[in-house]
Amino acid sequence: MKTGEVVALVGANGSGKSTLLKLMDGLIFPEAASCAHSEGRYLNKAKGQSLCRRIRRRVGIVFQDADVQLFSPTVWDEVIFGPLQLGISRKK
């Protein structure tokens, strides 16, 4: 993609849009092979969380159902969850 370029992923219900995005973000992994890739690297369970963290610094997913997206008891806890998962200290 080029800077400023916008990409839309469209398709019918059940066509695999969400599955593709989850594969690309490392939220799920292929069961049989390393078929999905990001930044020229294959994603699989063996690659571990280090590659997923690199990807998640650049890719974010907002789920359609807000009840699935929000899970912390306070807004502050919800806002700092992502940075904490990336290894950023609570103080920072």
Side-chain angles (χ1 to χ4, degrees):
M1 283 182 52
K2 296 177 184 177
T3 301
E5 185 177 9
V6 176
V7 176
L9 180 61
V10 296
N13 288 347
S15 64
K17 301 178 299 290
S18 295
T19 301
L20 175 62
L21 291 173
K22 288 176 185 178
L23 283 165
M24 291 172 64
D25 199 29
L27 294 175
I28 61 173
F29 298 96
E31 290 184 21
S34 300
C35 61
H37 63 87
S38 176
E39 298 179 3
R41 297 179 180 208
Y42 286 96
L43 297 176
N44 60 30
K45 289 183 182 179
K47 297 286 183 182
Q49 289 297 313
S50 62
L51 179 56
C52 290
R53 283 187 178 156
R54 286 187 52 224
I55 293 166
R56 290 182 189 137
R57 287 182 185 271
R58 299 181 60 197
V59 177
I61 295 178
V62 177
F63 297 99
Q64 183 175 357
D65 184 357
D67 290 334
V68 174
Q69 182 77 21
L70 304 173
F71 54 87
S72 297
T74 67
V75 171
W76 178 251
D77 288 336
E78 192 69 35
V79 169
I80 66 169
F81 178 80
L84 289 174
Q85 299 308 304
L86 294 172
I88 299 171
S89 72
R90 184 176 284 271
K91 183 178 179 180
K92 190 173 181 179

